[in-house]
Amino acid sequence: MKTLVASALVLTSVAGTANARTVAGWHGKPQIHADGACTGESWTTLTNNCSWTITVFYPLMVDGSGNYRVTVNAYGATPANNVGCRFFGLTKDATGIYQVPLGYLPGFGANRDIVLGPVFVPAGGTLNLACDLSPGARVNSVNWYQ
């Protein structure tokens, strides 16, 4: 038991700050619960199969305060299938916000990255991503790092 605790303490102190983290597109939660009925999941991606634009939220884990950046890998066949994302940090009581301008797909017809940040997260605060998916648009993955 003593060895296990000592090993855990050594690993924690050696690990230091976390590297980049990634989640699959289907980890997003539709802002309006009913929109989940017309979203599609395939190979861990999330596609908007609704005939209207939906907003999908991603709460992102942080290891501490500081500046974070995010890359959203997404797909839209045409400008009518665009993805636009907001990236923001909130104070722990949700009364203060740190954010960057909305970012959109830089091109269409292939998987593309939307790169956002840096965004500041205060001590005890949260890091969040909200993406608007036009009909037919897809989020493949979300990657963030400090």
Side-chain angles (χ1 to χ4, degrees), residues 62-124:
V62 296
D63 293 309
S65 65
N67 289 316
Y68 288 82
R69 290 168 172 72
V70 68
T71 300
V72 179
N73 185 267
Y75 175 83
T78 71
N81 315 114
N82 209 346
V83 176
C85 297
R86 299 176 237 20
F87 184 47
F88 56 99
L90 290 174
T91 57
K92 65 182 172 182
D93 60 2
T95 60
I97 187 169
Y98 301 85
Q99 61 186 339
V100 294
L102 190 62
Y104 291 93
L105 283 171
F108 303 96
N111 294 318
R112 305 287 176 118
D113 287 338
I114 303 168
V115 180
L116 301 169
V119 163
F120 181 70
V121 176

Side-chain angles (χ1 to χ4, degrees), residues 30-54:
Q31 178 182 20
I32 298 172
H33 182 72
D35 288 346
C38 56
T39 59
E41 299 173 12
S42 176
W43 295 96
T44 72
T45 65
L46 179 77
T47 301
N48 177 8
N49 293 324
C50 305
S51 59
W52 56 89
T53 297
I54 65 168

